[in-house]
Amino acid sequence: MTPGAQVAAAIDILAAIDTGERPADDVAADYFRRRRYIGAKDRAHIAGHVYAGLRHRSALDWWIAKHPVDIGPRSRVLAALVLTEGWRPETVAGCCDGDRFRPASLSEAEERLVRGLARHTLRHPEMSRAVANDLPEWLEPHLEQVFGKELEREMAALNASAPIDLRVNLLKADRATARRALAAEGVAVERTPWSPIGLRLAARVPLGGLAAFKEGLVEVQDEGSQIATLLVDARPGMRVVDFCAGAGGKTLALAASMANRGKLVACDVSAHRLERGTLRRAGVGNVERRALTSERDKWIKRRAGSFDRVLVDAPCLGIGAWRRNPGDKWRITKDDLADLLVRQQEILRSAARLVRPGGRVVYATCSLLHEENEAQAEAFLAATPDFSVVPAARAWHDTIGGAAPGGDRYLRLTPARHGTDGFFVAIFEREPCPTAS
């Protein structure tokens, strides 16, 4: 593809994202799936244009608004080419000549836009703090409460692209074996700094064609997510529930921690998100898939008090995953937060009913907000006096070893401080039954 055709594709994808309800990565994947002729290198260039427009939408719109040009997918791509990718105005104009598969020629206003932007950088002193950090205005006070003077550093990390982390499937390999297998296919990786079962790709590669992936030696999973699963402390022979299993990334990790021994129930309101083929490839044989009608499903009442560990990877605003899903930040609203705060507490309290005396429920989010994290943990403790906190530092020492990097009472990981997605983990233990005297 020509550079102009790549730009045209990026504009088309951004337009589809703006007019639909699906996540940006789903829209892009669908676009490429219907155009098999687009090669891997072209896809990478197109995705780069798309994600620049999504990550920096607020700052780009600020600049575009200073010109008589409509704010939308086309103008955002044009502005991003200049301000984030360093294209010269004549290069942009050359790609937009109206030829087949290329964008229409620049209007006079668009020519003035790209020429004017070439004299500037993306950030400007007159921008508000929210615009300069490319985050929704309504979220700024919530994040300032958490990060204070570190807000700029954390937002810069969230606005960068994320590395690709792999979790070694301990049912089939250890980290050294998986690393050798990847090296044999020409894939360079390094050990993740916090997770003892993680590998980080040195460069992006198409994972689907790798033997190490097809044979189930590795799975894609962010290091923060790996850590959250390890802190569950699921052991062989235990009865464990992954309460909000989704597509099953944490379910697979729990099964590996359990060495395929014991009972692992993957629950979700979407019945078939965890596919049997995924379980087979990973060599997992101890998982029961359980579709729930809601967090108040009758199955919970019937199984109350019968599980050693319950993981609640709660639905949240997903701020900690903005590196991977930058489009999500422009979709979430104050109302979404209010609804989630109610739902998170309902889910956590309902899931906790499954825990036996002496067992644990682990609450995790990929959010960075105090309201979704520490505040929810404290509210749960106030409402359920038979549970107490297991300090995250102690759980880390017992499961991973060494000192926890992100808190004592609860674990909080951030992209800037730890190089992971943003993650929060709180561990609660139900008091054991009193012993007979």
Short mmCIF file of all heavy atoms in Angstrom, two decimals, residues 363-391:
data_model
loop_
_atom_site.label_atom_id
_atom_site.label_comp_id
_atom_site.label_asym_id
_atom_site.label_seq_id
_atom_site.Cartn_x
_atom_site.Cartn_y
_atom_site.Cartn_z
N TYR A 363 -10.34 -9.13 45.01
CA TYR A 363 -10.98 -8.10 44.20
C TYR A 363 -9.91 -7.39 43.37
O TYR A 363 -8.93 -6.88 43.92
CB TYR A 363 -11.70 -7.10 45.11
CG TYR A 363 -12.31 -5.90 44.40
CD1 TYR A 363 -13.48 -6.02 43.69
CD2 TYR A 363 -11.70 -4.65 44.48
CE1 TYR A 363 -14.05 -4.92 43.06
CE2 TYR A 363 -12.26 -3.54 43.85
CZ TYR A 363 -13.44 -3.68 43.14
OH TYR A 363 -14.00 -2.59 42.52
N ALA A 364 -10.09 -7.38 42.06
CA ALA A 364 -9.11 -6.77 41.17
C ALA A 364 -9.81 -5.90 40.14
O ALA A 364 -10.91 -6.22 39.68
CB ALA A 364 -8.28 -7.84 40.47
N THR A 365 -9.17 -4.79 39.77
CA THR A 365 -9.64 -3.96 38.67
C THR A 365 -8.43 -3.51 37.85
O THR A 365 -7.29 -3.50 38.34
CB THR A 365 -10.39 -2.69 39.14
OG1 THR A 365 -9.43 -1.71 39.59
CG2 THR A 365 -11.39 -2.98 40.24
N CYS A 366 -8.70 -3.09 36.62
CA CYS A 366 -7.67 -2.41 35.83
C CYS A 366 -7.99 -0.92 35.79
O CYS A 366 -7.82 -0.25 34.78
CB CYS A 366 -7.55 -2.99 34.42
SG CYS A 366 -9.07 -2.92 33.44
N SER A 367 -8.45 -0.41 36.93
CA SER A 367 -8.76 1.01 37.08
C SER A 367 -7.68 1.68 37.91
O SER A 367 -6.93 1.02 38.63
CB SER A 367 -10.12 1.21 37.75
OG SER A 367 -10.39 2.59 37.93
N LEU A 368 -7.63 2.99 37.83
CA LEU A 368 -6.70 3.78 38.65
C LEU A 368 -7.42 4.67 39.65
O LEU A 368 -6.77 5.37 40.42
CB LEU A 368 -5.81 4.64 37.74
CG LEU A 368 -4.85 3.89 36.82
CD1 LEU A 368 -4.17 4.86 35.86
CD2 LEU A 368 -3.81 3.13 37.63
N LEU A 369 -8.74 4.65 39.65
CA LEU A 369 -9.50 5.55 40.50
C LEU A 369 -9.62 5.03 41.93
O LEU A 369 -9.89 3.84 42.15
CB LEU A 369 -10.90 5.78 39.94
CG LEU A 369 -11.02 6.45 38.57
CD1 LEU A 369 -12.46 6.84 38.31
CD2 LEU A 369 -10.11 7.66 38.45
N HIS A 370 -9.47 5.93 42.90
CA HIS A 370 -9.66 5.58 44.31
C HIS A 370 -11.07 5.04 44.54
O HIS A 370 -11.27 4.09 45.30
CB HIS A 370 -9.43 6.82 45.17
CG HIS A 370 -9.77 6.63 46.61
ND1 HIS A 370 -8.90 6.03 47.51
CD2 HIS A 370 -10.89 6.96 47.32
CE1 HIS A 370 -9.47 5.99 48.70
NE2 HIS A 370 -10.67 6.55 48.62
N GLU A 371 -12.06 5.65 43.86
CA GLU A 371 -13.44 5.24 44.06
C GLU A 371 -13.69 3.79 43.68
O GLU A 371 -14.50 3.10 44.30
CB GLU A 371 -14.39 6.15 43.25
CG GLU A 371 -14.41 7.59 43.71
CD GLU A 371 -13.38 8.45 43.00
OE1 GLU A 371 -12.37 7.90 42.50
OE2 GLU A 371 -13.57 9.68 42.96
N GLU A 372 -13.03 3.32 42.63
CA GLU A 372 -13.23 1.95 42.17
C GLU A 372 -12.34 0.95 42.91
O GLU A 372 -12.56 -0.26 42.80
CB GLU A 372 -12.95 1.85 40.67
CG GLU A 372 -13.94 2.60 39.81
CD GLU A 372 -13.80 2.27 38.34
OE1 GLU A 372 -12.91 2.88 37.69
OE2 GLU A 372 -14.52 1.40 37.85
N ASN A 373 -11.36 1.45 43.63
CA ASN A 373 -10.36 0.58 44.23
C ASN A 373 -10.42 0.59 45.75
O ASN A 373 -11.16 -0.16 46.37
CB ASN A 373 -8.98 0.96 43.70
CG ASN A 373 -8.86 0.72 42.21
OD1 ASN A 373 -9.53 -0.12 41.65
ND2 ASN A 373 -7.98 1.46 41.55
N GLU A 374 -9.62 1.43 46.38
CA GLU A 374 -9.55 1.44 47.84
C GLU A 374 -10.91 1.69 48.49
O GLU A 374 -11.26 1.06 49.50
CB GLU A 374 -8.54 2.49 48.32
CG GLU A 374 -7.09 2.18 48.00
CD GLU A 374 -6.65 2.67 46.65
OE1 GLU A 374 -7.51 3.15 45.87
OE2 GLU A 374 -5.44 2.60 46.35
N ALA A 375 -11.69 2.60 47.92
CA ALA A 375 -12.99 2.91 48.50
C ALA A 375 -13.92 1.70 48.45
O ALA A 375 -14.68 1.45 49.40
CB ALA A 375 -13.62 4.10 47.79
N GLN A 376 -13.86 0.94 47.37
CA GLN A 376 -14.69 -0.26 47.27
C GLN A 376 -14.23 -1.32 48.27
O GLN A 376 -15.05 -2.02 48.88
CB GLN A 376 -14.64 -0.83 45.85
CG GLN A 376 -15.34 0.02 44.80
CD GLN A 376 -16.85 -0.01 44.92
OE1 GLN A 376 -17.41 0.01 46.01
NE2 GLN A 376 -17.54 -0.05 43.78
N ALA A 377 -12.93 -1.45 48.44
CA ALA A 377 -12.40 -2.42 49.39
C ALA A 377 -12.86 -2.09 50.82
O ALA A 377 -13.29 -2.98 51.57
CB ALA A 377 -10.88 -2.46 49.32
N GLU A 378 -12.77 -0.82 51.19
CA GLU A 378 -13.16 -0.43 52.54
C GLU A 378 -14.67 -0.56 52.74
O GLU A 378 -15.13 -0.94 53.82
CB GLU A 378 -12.70 1.00 52.81
CG GLU A 378 -11.18 1.17 52.82
CD GLU A 378 -10.50 0.31 53.87
OE1 GLU A 378 -11.03 0.19 54.99
OE2 GLU A 378 -9.42 -0.25 53.57
N ALA A 379 -15.44 -0.27 51.71
CA ALA A 379 -16.90 -0.42 51.80
C ALA A 379 -17.27 -1.90 51.99
O ALA A 379 -18.18 -2.23 52.75
CB ALA A 379 -17.57 0.14 50.56
N PHE A 380 -16.55 -2.78 51.30
CA PHE A 380 -16.81 -4.22 51.45
C PHE A 380 -16.51 -4.67 52.88
O PHE A 380 -17.28 -5.42 53.49
CB PHE A 380 -15.96 -5.00 50.45
CG PHE A 380 -16.01 -6.49 50.64
CD1 PHE A 380 -17.13 -7.22 50.25
CD2 PHE A 380 -14.95 -7.17 51.21
CE1 PHE A 380 -17.18 -8.59 50.44
CE2 PHE A 380 -14.99 -8.54 51.40
CZ PHE A 380 -16.11 -9.26 51.01
N LEU A 381 -15.40 -4.23 53.41
CA LEU A 381 -15.04 -4.61 54.78
C LEU A 381 -16.07 -4.11 55.79
O LEU A 381 -16.42 -4.82 56.75
CB LEU A 381 -13.66 -4.05 55.13
CG LEU A 381 -12.47 -4.73 54.44
CD1 LEU A 381 -11.20 -3.92 54.68
CD2 LEU A 381 -12.29 -6.15 54.93
N ALA A 382 -16.58 -2.90 55.58
CA ALA A 382 -17.57 -2.35 56.49
C ALA A 382 -18.88 -3.14 56.45
O ALA A 382 -19.58 -3.26 57.45
CB ALA A 382 -17.83 -0.88 56.16
N ALA A 383 -19.19 -3.70 55.27
CA ALA A 383 -20.45 -4.40 55.11
C ALA A 383 -20.36 -5.89 55.44
O ALA A 383 -21.39 -6.54 55.63
CB ALA A 383 -20.95 -4.24 53.66
N THR A 384 -19.16 -6.43 55.50
CA THR A 384 -18.98 -7.88 55.73
C THR A 384 -17.95 -8.09 56.84
O THR A 384 -16.77 -8.36 56.57
CB THR A 384 -18.50 -8.58 54.43
OG1 THR A 384 -17.34 -7.89 53.95
CG2 THR A 384 -19.58 -8.54 53.37
N PRO A 385 -18.36 -7.98 58.09
CA PRO A 385 -17.42 -8.05 59.21
C PRO A 385 -16.74 -9.41 59.39
O PRO A 385 -15.77 -9.50 60.13
CB PRO A 385 -18.29 -7.71 60.42
CG PRO A 385 -19.69 -7.99 59.99
CD PRO A 385 -19.74 -7.70 58.53
N ASP A 386 -17.23 -10.45 58.68
CA ASP A 386 -16.57 -11.75 58.79
C ASP A 386 -15.38 -11.89 57.85
O ASP A 386 -14.74 -12.94 57.80
CB ASP A 386 -17.57 -12.89 58.55
CG ASP A 386 -18.29 -12.77 57.21
OD1 ASP A 386 -18.46 -11.63 56.73
OD2 ASP A 386 -18.71 -13.80 56.66
N PHE A 387 -15.07 -10.82 57.12
CA PHE A 387 -13.88 -10.80 56.26
C PHE A 387 -12.88 -9.78 56.80
O PHE A 387 -13.27 -8.74 57.34
CB PHE A 387 -14.24 -10.41 54.82
CG PHE A 387 -14.80 -11.54 53.99
CD1 PHE A 387 -16.16 -11.78 53.97
CD2 PHE A 387 -13.97 -12.35 53.25
CE1 PHE A 387 -16.70 -12.80 53.22
CE2 PHE A 387 -14.49 -13.38 52.49
CZ PHE A 387 -15.86 -13.62 52.47
N SER A 388 -11.60 -10.07 56.62
CA SER A 388 -10.53 -9.14 56.97
C SER A 388 -9.52 -9.09 55.84
O SER A 388 -9.47 -9.99 54.99
CB SER A 388 -9.84 -9.58 58.27
OG SER A 388 -9.28 -10.87 58.12
N VAL A 389 -8.72 -8.03 55.84
CA VAL A 389 -7.73 -7.85 54.77
C VAL A 389 -6.53 -8.77 54.97
O VAL A 389 -5.99 -8.89 56.08
CB VAL A 389 -7.25 -6.39 54.72
CG1 VAL A 389 -6.06 -6.23 53.78
CG2 VAL A 389 -8.38 -5.48 54.27
N VAL A 390 -6.12 -9.41 53.89
CA VAL A 390 -4.80 -10.04 53.84
C VAL A 390 -3.88 -9.02 53.20
O VAL A 390 -4.06 -8.68 52.02
CB VAL A 390 -4.82 -11.34 53.00
CG1 VAL A 390 -3.42 -11.93 52.92
CG2 VAL A 390 -5.81 -12.34 53.58
N PRO A 391 -2.91 -8.45 53.92
CA PRO A 391 -2.06 -7.41 53.33
C PRO A 391 -1.42 -7.88 52.03
O PRO A 391 -0.89 -9.00 51.95
CB PRO A 391 -1.01 -7.15 54.41
CG PRO A 391 -1.68 -7.56 55.69
CD PRO A 391 -2.54 -8.73 55.32
#
